[in-house]
Amino acid sequence: MQPSVSQPRVTTILVAANGADHLDRTLDALAAQTRHPENLVVVDVGSTDGSTAELSFGGSARLVRLPAGVAFGDAVRQGERAAPPAATDEPVDEWLWVLGHDNAPAPTALADLLSAVEIAPSVVVAGPKLVADDDPSRIRAFGESTTRFGRSVVLVQDELDQGQHDRNTDVLAVSAGGMLVRRSVWNELRGFDPALPDVDAALDFCTRVRLAGHRVALVPEARVTSAGPIEEFGRKRVSEARRVRIHRQAQLHRRMVYAPVGLLWLHWLTLVPFAVGRALGHLVAKHPAAVVPELAAAFAVAFGGGTGRARKNLARTQKLGWAAIEPLRVSWRRLHEHRTTTRDAELARVEDAPIARASFLGDGGIWVVLAAAVLSVVTLYPLLGSPALTGGGLLPLSATPGQLWQNVGYGWHSLGTGFTGPSDPFAAVLAVLGSIVFWSPSTAVVLVMLVAFPLSALGAWFAVRKVTTRTWVPVIGAALYAIAPSLVGAVTTGHLGAAIAHVVLPWLFLAVLEAHRSWAWASGASLLFAVVAASAPSLLPVLLVCWLVALLVGWRRAHRRVFIPVPTVVLFLPLVLAQAARGNLLAVFADPGVPSATRAPSALQLAIGQPLPDWSGWLPVTSGLAIAAVVLPVVMAVLALPVAAAAIGAMLGHRWAVAGAALVVALLGFATAFAATHVTVTGVGSTTTIVWPGSGLSVYWLALVVAACIGIDVLPKAAPVAGLAATVLTGVAVAPAFAAFYLGNATIEPTTGRVLSAYVNAEAQANPDVGTLVVVPQDDGSLAVTLERGQGSTLDDQSTLDATALRLSESGARLTTLAGNLASRSGYDPRPALAELGVSFVLIDDAGDDPEARAVHDRAAGAIGQDARFTAIGETATGQLFHYDGEVDRVRTGSAATQATHVLYLVVLGVVFGAAALLAVPTAPRRRRATSNVIEAEEPATTFDEERDE
């Protein structure tokens, strides 16, 4: 018996893809329908879970098997073709009911859908209310729409169903799951767009339905379950990157399809440029997982095809203009309201988090930082107002930021006789600092020394607050870390890199702890990691060990921490390869800056935190006391005892695990400092010197302070007394070191920024490559020889690759031969060497009070002064100066290939560190995708309810 006109015929197309968890329930729900469909086509898409293995149908039910990977829309199309053909000679109203394996309909779902379309003939697509399969009272999806620029929006999602949206039935689109569509319209519009295999296929189809003059409606009475969004259909998991790509690709495809013909070329030309801009925006918004998908989506739409076929299909069926669906789109006002509501909710959630244990302004943090600033001013008063510093490991910086960046990376270095190779990573740190104070780059070094103490206190306050609960304990930690012997030793001896590392270490500690929370923390940690490693390369082993431990401990969220060392690797790789090529890999750990002799402290002094063997200045102060050498070690050990006792005592409290980890890090820092005293890779004159142990002691001291503060925090009533005693006794132990400038023990001194004499500087104005041979008499009767270019060496052009060389280069050997013969009477003709090396001046440095050095100085000055080829300029602030009257050659500055390599390396650094810096910029909490919560379309001119009433 054939069905009558009043009885529509329904073909259910059920798509299954590894749906073992849901398929049986869906089939049972179909069997329980109060209005049964006439036909059933089950389309299996490569299921491997056995969900359709035992299915067999006959009569009006069929099973179609397709290979894995077929899109949901293609599966529906194949199912429609396999269904019994539509009637062509009888007025039968035929419908397709599209279901997924997780779309179990309520018993009256089909009856409710058919009732709705029967009373509204213009409705050719009807959609049910999709509810969660595990909680039917929660709406999974109810209606879809777009913004003016094509972004898809689920109107209602993840809300408790209280009937609050049941009156909004006239919508732009409905979801694919549970969609009831007139078969003739499906065939007329050729179903879902094949270029939308994952998302937005139903949205695009419904949009074309609207433009073809038909209507789309929601039927709130009809309820169908859903286990998740369509992009997760048949997949165990969809990564964030894939989710971003498929949504963005679908949006761009629809934009190209819907664009007017006159603007199509403009849309195509801007696809990739806009994608690059949006990728940078994702970096700033701390969403790096979306960068590559954003670019991939743009390239796929621009060059993947499919747009032309979709545009032809749309043009073939379109009968109405876009103004017809304008009321059904989501207005920017509604979208802005939704974003504001979501952002406020996120901010409220953040603000409702547990408050900080201590307030920086209200609990003494600001006061300890101000006290450290006052201490810095008093200690370093002679440096105030100075434009530059010299002495120890310091020299002025180059005069312009351009010259600073010229010394960064792989290229030609004019240091000494000149060489081609990588710079120290620390040169990048100096370039950044000098660029900040671009009008006087050398002032940056002075500022770093002046703010080292208050910034150390600030960082330590926040670090200690992270692991303690009492509000006053961070003040103790900040004070202890600010007066660390390693810091005051680094400042007074001119170890700029060690001072920077000491300041940055607490912030690195905080950033690594918080790196699992966001990309901002992780990227900040990567930048701080690079700064510490570049400033103090001897800390590379302990930094890498701590990073590995952090990865293992937080392995569940290690995806952010795993990238922390990447900028450091990029920064160090050229230097590591260069040192490895000449068999001197340990030289990577050499201290950056001017090579300066450092005496090795004993193991006991290292254990007390002393980087120098002078007991923080107490040894020269008490040199007149006969028993000082015997008593001083005992007294210093007693002064350090409270900090050590509090740190060890922390193991007895309830936070013993954190304290234990801090003590292990302290042990690693001590081991680093001890190893540094046994590594001699840097040449200083005629000798070599150890690596500065103060950097390792900074790690040791920070970890010890953290553990001690935990111990003080868990003490009973005696805690304030113990904290005060530890701080006071530590202050007494380092008091002479803070008075180094007043006692005459400081190595650094203020300078005008001029390295060579005014006469040489004047010559260098006309000839920036003018060479000055600097001869420095040594205490052992030998000569140290350097070759200065232009106005003299600067801190940023120093290189550990040169300072740690295992043998002299050919030009270096010629330089030493030249200097040795000039400093003594011989028959050697210096003119060829002087011309080739570009030497126009010879400077004999002051010899000091040592008789051996004075004898060498006088002999050299006499030999050069009696040479008719030299003119004596006279005594200068740095020594006795002579001018060579002959012609000299201009020195080479590197080949074109070297300069290109330098530029390329700077570009690589800019990309890596620029990306990290963008990610490190803090932003407000990232809002969720606009498909969450409620966004209701503007009320259309005619609603489904109005037509039903008619």
Side-chain angles (χ1 to χ4, degrees):
M1 179 177 180
Q2 297 294 331
S4 64
V5 176
S6 60
Q7 179 67 28
R9 187 166 66 181
V10 179
T11 298
T12 300
I13 300 177
L14 174 59
V15 181
N18 289 320
D21 296 336
H22 307 280
L23 184 57
D24 289 342
R25 177 184 175 187
T26 301
L27 290 172
D28 292 341
L30 281 173
Q33 290 296 297
T34 57
R35 175 20 174 120
H36 292 280
E38 280 69 23
N39 303 297
L40 171 63
V41 180
V42 178
V43 184
D44 176 59
V45 183
S47 296
T48 58
D49 58 357
S51 56
T52 62
E54 299 181 359
L55 291 180
S56 61
F57 300 110
S60 61
R62 301 184 183 184
L63 176 63
V64 178
R65 296 190 182 276
L66 300 178
V70 175
F72 185 88
D74 290 336
V76 175
R77 188 178 299 106
Q78 294 291 338
E80 189 275 335
R81 292 173 181 172
T88 58
D89 54 354
E90 295 186 20
V92 178
D93 196 12
E94 298 206 32
W95 295 83
L96 300 177
W97 193 20
V98 180
L99 297 172
H101 58 240
D102 60 330
N103 298 137
T108 61
L110 181 56
D112 292 331
L113 289 171
L114 289 173
S115 297
V117 299
E118 286 173 359
I119 63 175
S122 63
V123 175
V124 299
V125 176
K129 181 183 294 182
L130 291 182
V131 297
D133 61 338
D134 55 350
D135 183 9
S137 64
R138 184 163 295 276
I139 301 174
R140 181 76 73 178
F142 192 52
E144 296 182 4
S145 185
T146 66
T147 64
R148 289 293 306 276
F149 287 95
R151 181 178 180 179
S152 59
V153 178
V154 176
L155 298 179
V156 182
Q157 185 179 36
D158 196 24
E159 276 197 38
L160 186 64
D161 184 12
Q162 298 176 319
Q164 67 272 36
H165 304 292
D166 288 357
R167 63 182 301 270
N168 302 313
T169 57
D170 211 17
V171 293
L172 177 62
V174 299
S175 301
M179 173 193 290
L180 183 69
V181 54
R182 182 169 283 146
R183 190 171 183 177
S184 59
V185 174
W186 171 271
N187 291 323
E188 178 189 355
L189 300 182
R190 297 178 182 175
F192 294 153
D193 188 347
L196 297 172
D198 296 298
V199 296
D200 290 358
L203 173 63
D204 169 75
F205 177 76
C206 292
T207 301
R208 289 185 283 123
V209 167
R210 283 282 185 177
L211 294 175
H214 308 293
R215 293 185 49 224
V216 179
L218 289 170
V219 183
E221 297 82 7
R223 299 165 67 86
V224 174
T225 66
S226 174
I230 189 64
E231 63 263 31
E232 296 178 0
F233 184 79
R235 299 185 177 98
K236 292 183 178 179
R237 181 179 180 273
V238 178
S239 65
E240 179 66 15
R242 178 178 175 83
R243 193 184 301 274
V244 171
R245 185 188 64 78
I246 60 181
H247 277 279
R248 182 58 176 167
Q249 185 171 332
Q251 179 184 352
L252 292 177
H253 172 77
R254 290 186 292 102
R255 182 177 298 173
M256 294 292 291
V257 173
Y258 302 159
V261 176
L263 296 179
L264 184 61
W265 64 273
L266 180 61
H267 281 291
W268 187 85
L269 288 176
T270 57
L271 278 175
V272 175
F274 279 3
V276 174
R278 284 176 59 90
L280 293 176
H282 288 310
L283 282 176
V284 175
K286 312 301 174 298
H287 198 197
V291 173
V292 174
E294 182 73 42
L295 298 174
F299 278 99
V301 173
F303 307 105
T307 302
R309 181 176 62 251
R311 288 183 62 88
K312 290 179 181 179
N313 192 29
L314 175 63
R316 181 180 55 83
T317 59
Q318 183 175 355
K319 298 178 181 178
L320 302 178
W322 289 96
I325 66 170
E326 185 62 28
L328 299 172
R329 289 181 173 181
V330 176
S331 67
W332 285 114
R333 178 176 60 83
R334 291 296 184 93
L335 188 62
H336 175 71
E337 290 176 358
H338 164 71
R339 289 176 173 176
T340 302
T341 302
T342 304
R343 183 170 60 248
D344 291 345
E346 291 289 340
L347 290 175
R349 180 180 59 81
V350 173
E351 292 171 357
D352 290 340
I355 61 173
R357 290 174 174 145
S359 168
F360 179 71
L361 295 177
D363 293 314
I366 183 66
W367 296 111
V368 71
V369 172
L370 289 176
V374 172
L375 177 65
S376 177
V377 171
V378 173
T379 301
L380 306 177
Y381 182 77
L383 306 184
L384 295 180
S386 173
L389 298 177
T390 189
L394 295 180
L395 279 175
L397 297 180
S398 295
T400 65
Q403 293 173 331
L404 289 172
W405 288 104
Q406 186 65 34
N407 289 323
V408 175
Y410 189 91
W412 171 260
H413 301 276
S414 59
L415 183 66
T417 58
F419 66 94
T420 299
S423 67
D424 292 336
F426 189 56
V429 178
L430 293 176
V432 172
L433 291 174
S435 299
I436 295 174
V437 194
F438 59 89
W439 59 92
S440 178
S442 294
T443 306
V445 178
V446 183
L447 294 177
V448 168
M449 293 303 192
L450 289 172
V451 302
F453 296 109
L455 287 184
S456 295
L458 180 65
W461 189 90
F462 281 99
V464 173
R465 183 186 66 162
K466 184 68 178 177
V467 295
T468 57
T469 55
R470 294 183 178 179
T471 57
W472 53 270
V473 172
V475 174
I476 299 297
L480 287 173
Y481 191 69
I483 59 176
S486 57
L487 176 59
V488 66
V491 170
T492 56
T493 58
H495 286 87
L496 177 64
I500 293 175
H502 187 95
V503 171
V504 175
L505 276 172
W507 302 105
L508 177 59
F509 166 77
L510 277 174
V512 172
L513 282 183
E514 301 289 346
H516 67 282
R517 297 184 180 276
S518 68
W519 283 105
W521 279 110
S523 300
S526 69
L527 294 175
L528 297 174
F529 192 100
V531 171
V532 172
S535 302
S538 61
L539 295 184
L540 272 171
V542 67
L543 290 177
L544 291 174
V545 169
C546 292
W547 167 69
L548 288 173
V549 172
L551 281 182
L552 294 176
V553 173
W555 63 271
R556 293 183 182 275
R557 297 182 179 179
H559 63 286
R560 290 192 177 100
R561 287 196 178 111
V562 73
F563 296 102
I564 287 177
V566 170
T568 304
V569 171
V570 175
L571 202 57
F572 270 86
L573 186 60
L575 180 63
V576 171
L577 294 178
Q579 294 287 18
R582 64 182 188 181
N584 194 19
L585 198 55
L586 279 179
V588 173
F589 304 123
D591 296 313
V594 181
S596 57
T598 301
R599 293 176 297 153
S602 66
L604 175 61
Q605 290 170 324
L606 291 175
I608 300 175
Q610 306 289 327
L612 293 169
D614 65 349
W615 297 105
S616 292
W618 278 108
L619 190 60
V621 170
T622 58
S623 59
L625 302 177
I627 62 172
V630 178
V631 176
L632 197 55
V634 178
V635 173
M636 296 297 287
V638 171
L639 293 176
L641 189 60
V643 174
I648 297 174
M651 293 296 295
L652 303 177
H654 62 278
R655 286 197 298 278
W656 61 270
V658 180
L663 290 177
V664 170
V665 174
L667 184 61
L668 291 174
F670 176 80
T672 301
F674 184 78
T677 61
H678 293 77
V679 176
T680 55
V681 292
T682 304
V684 181
S686 58
T687 63
T688 57
T689 186
I690 64 172
V691 175
W692 171 252
S695 300
L697 291 180
S698 291
V699 175
Y700 168 74
W701 191 255
L702 174 62
L704 207 62
V705 167
V706 169
C709 288
I710 293 175
I712 293 172
D713 192 43
V714 299
L715 279 177
K717 297 180 180 180
V721 176
L724 183 61
T727 305
V728 171
L729 293 181
T730 302
V732 172
V734 296
F738 279 98
F741 279 96
Y742 302 98
L743 298 175
N745 298 328
T747 306
I748 64 173
E749 59 183 2
T751 181
T752 59
R754 192 173 65 195
V755 178
L756 298 176
S757 67
Y759 191 94
V760 176
N761 284 347
E763 181 72 17
Q765 296 293 330
N767 180 16
D769 297 323
V770 62
T772 302
L773 181 65
V774 180
V775 180
V776 183
Q778 302 291 296
D779 295 346
D780 59 358
S782 62
L783 291 173
V785 184
T786 58
L787 181 59
E788 307 280 0
R789 294 292 178 192
Q791 298 181 356
S793 295
T794 56
L795 185 60
D796 50 288
D797 68 8
Q798 299 300 302
S799 171
T800 56
L801 197 63
D802 176 72
T804 60
L806 297 175
R807 59 185 63 87
L808 284 175
S809 63
E810 182 179 347
S811 58
R814 176 167 294 192
L815 182 67
T816 57
T817 301
L818 172 65
N821 283 277
L822 287 178
S824 59
R825 296 179 178 88
S826 68
Y828 175 78
D829 185 4
R831 288 176 294 180
L834 290 169
E836 180 183 351
L837 296 172
V839 176
S840 297
F841 294 93
V842 177
L843 175 66
I844 303 178
D845 202 3
D846 292 333
D849 299 329
D850 185 82
E852 289 285 342
R854 172 55 61 184
V856 174
H857 174 276
D858 294 341
R859 183 173 68 251
I864 298 176
Q866 293 178 11
D867 193 327
R869 289 164 293 209
F870 290 89
T871 301
I873 304 300
E875 291 289 339
T876 66
T878 54
Q880 195 167 354
L881 184 66
F882 299 89
H883 180 259
Y884 173 59
D885 298 327
E887 295 291 330
V888 298
D889 300 333
R890 293 187 64 87
V891 296
R892 64 188 182 95
T893 58
S895 63
T898 300
Q899 296 175 359
T901 304
H902 170 75
V903 173
L904 177 62
Y905 182 70
L906 287 183
V907 171
V908 172
L909 284 183
V911 170
V912 174
F913 281 85
L918 284 175
L919 283 173
V921 176
T923 59
R926 184 170 62 90
R927 65 176 182 271
R928 296 180 181 177
R929 182 175 161 78
T931 55
S932 61
N933 295 333
V934 182
I935 303 182
E936 297 180 3
E938 300 269 346
E939 288 293 333
T942 303
T943 66
F944 172 55
D945 291 332
E946 291 172 351
E947 184 174 345
R948 177 182 297 181
D949 293 339
E950 293 174 0

